[in-house]
């Protein structure tokens, strides 16, 4: 299985901050990397697919980059509704695997 | 707009079989190049992919669960289902159904299944 790691595991930030979350795969996954946002009690929501493509309806303050083994999710200006847990997921090979998550909370 | 809805018992006894159904509306389980998937999340923990059934009917399961999992589809009801046999306490989780096509773009709201006697 391809192992996914994320850093940091949690972070505290203020509204308006630029936030970057890193995801690393245990082997090259090309650009088969997706990002999700999950709020308590809710299903995950797809933000970014194929490493850098913005899902329809997702605000443009979210962006993704990377290829191979190293990827980043950036929130350019954190909004109150962005406080949540973020997961990366590889779809290069089954079993699909998810990172352990990064919790973004209010500073 | 595609919508998915999980249904099934919220409590299952150890050693029994967990059975869940996902009803799809706004789209057909038998058309399009979609993977109809099950994903679970133990309380307070991360996400684990269980497996999928492709629109063609082929399946793929997580090797860690493969011996206990069956995913099937009922095109007449526009549903797909999950069966997980011989459950134990670690199988307690919120179970989600989801549709995959360049990422899991559509999810059900999730259903908590507790394994307890």
């Amino acid at each position: 299985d391809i192992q996914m790691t994320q850093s940091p595991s949690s972070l505290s930030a203020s509204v308006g901050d630029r936030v970057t979350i890193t995801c690393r795969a245990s082997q090259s996954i090309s650009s088969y990397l997706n990002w999700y946002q999950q709020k308590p009690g809710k299903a995950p929501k797809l933000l970014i697919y194929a490493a850098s493509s913005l899902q329809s309806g997702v605000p443009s303050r979210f962006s993704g980059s990377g290829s191979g083994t190293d990827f980043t999710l950036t929130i350019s200006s954190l909004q109150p509704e962005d406080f949540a847990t973020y997961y990366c997921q590889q779809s290069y090979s089954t079993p699909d695997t998810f990172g352990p998550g990064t919790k973004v909370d209010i500073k | 707009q595609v919508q998915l809805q999980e249904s099934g018992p919220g409590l299952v006894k150890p050693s029994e079989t967990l059975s869940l159904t996902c009803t799809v509306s706004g789209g057909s389980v038998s058309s399009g190049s979609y993977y109809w998937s099950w994903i679970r999340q133990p309380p307070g923990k991360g996400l684990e992919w269980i497996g999928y059934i492709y629109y063609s009917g082929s399946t793929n399961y997580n090797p860690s669960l493969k011996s206990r999992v069956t995913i099937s589809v009922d095109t007449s009801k526009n549903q797909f289902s999950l069966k997980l046999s011989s459950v134990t306490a670690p199988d307690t989780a919120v179970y989600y159904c989801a549709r995959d096509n360049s990422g899991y773009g559509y999810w059900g709201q999730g259903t908590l299944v507790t394994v307890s006697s």
Side-chain angles (χ1 to χ4, degrees):
Chain A
D1 299 4
I2 297 175
Q3 306 303 315
M4 307 300 293
T5 57
Q6 288 181 234
S7 61
S9 57
S10 65
L11 66 90
S12 296
S14 301
V15 172
D17 284 353
R18 181 182 182 87
V19 169
T20 298
I21 298 169
T22 297
C23 176
R24 177 165 289 175
S26 60
Q27 66 181 74
S28 178
I29 57 171
S30 185
S31 294
Y32 291 89
L33 190 283
N34 307 310
W35 289 98
Y36 300 85
Q37 175 194 68
Q38 187 178 34
K39 296 181 178 179
K42 300 294 187 182
K45 173 187 176 182
L46 179 65
L47 300 175
I48 302 287
Y49 64 94
S52 60
S53 296
L54 192 67
Q55 175 72 350
S56 175
V58 174
S60 59
R61 63 181 179 273
F62 291 93
S63 64
S65 64
S67 67
T69 60
D70 295 318
F71 302 86
T72 58
L73 172 71
T74 299
I75 309 172
S76 61
S77 178
L78 198 66
Q79 297 302 300
E81 60 268 30
D82 300 337
F83 292 97
T85 300
Y86 293 84
Y87 294 93
C88 61
Q89 174 241 334
Q90 67 81 20
S91 57
Y92 179 78
S93 67
T94 57
D96 287 5
T97 46
F98 293 83
T102 295
K103 185 175 182 180
V104 177
D105 61 22
I106 302 172
K107 191 171 187 178
Chain B
Q1 177 77 343
V2 175
Q3 293 185 316
L4 293 82
Q5 173 83 47
E6 304 90 351
S7 59
L11 181 64
V12 181
K13 290 182 169 57
S15 80
E16 295 189 344
T17 296
L18 178 160
S19 295
L20 296 174
T21 295
C22 183
T23 300
V24 179
S25 57
S28 170
V29 295
S30 56
S31 65
S33 301
Y34 301 125
Y35 298 86
W36 301 95
S37 305
W38 288 96
I39 294 163
R40 70 181 183 178
Q41 185 172 36
K45 296 188 177 181
L47 298 156
E48 180 182 30
W49 178 77
I50 299 170
Y52 67 66
I53 186 162
Y54 194 42
Y55 80 106
S56 63
S58 63
T59 55
N60 194 328
Y61 303 135
N62 193 321
S64 68
L65 300 169
K66 187 174 183 177
S67 63
R68 300 193 289 133
V69 171
T70 303
I71 297 175
S72 59
V73 66
D74 185 336
T75 56
S76 67
K77 295 182 179 178
N78 213 33
Q79 296 174 334
F80 62 106
S81 298
L82 168 70
K83 290 189 186 298
L84 181 66
S85 64
S86 304
V87 297
T88 61
D91 292 313
T92 294
V94 175
Y95 285 76
Y96 295 101
C97 57
R99 192 187 85 173
D100 181 20
N101 180 27
S102 295
Y104 294 100
Y106 294 97
W107 296 68
Q109 85 282 1
T111 186
L112 174 63
V113 179
T114 301
V115 178
S116 175
S117 55

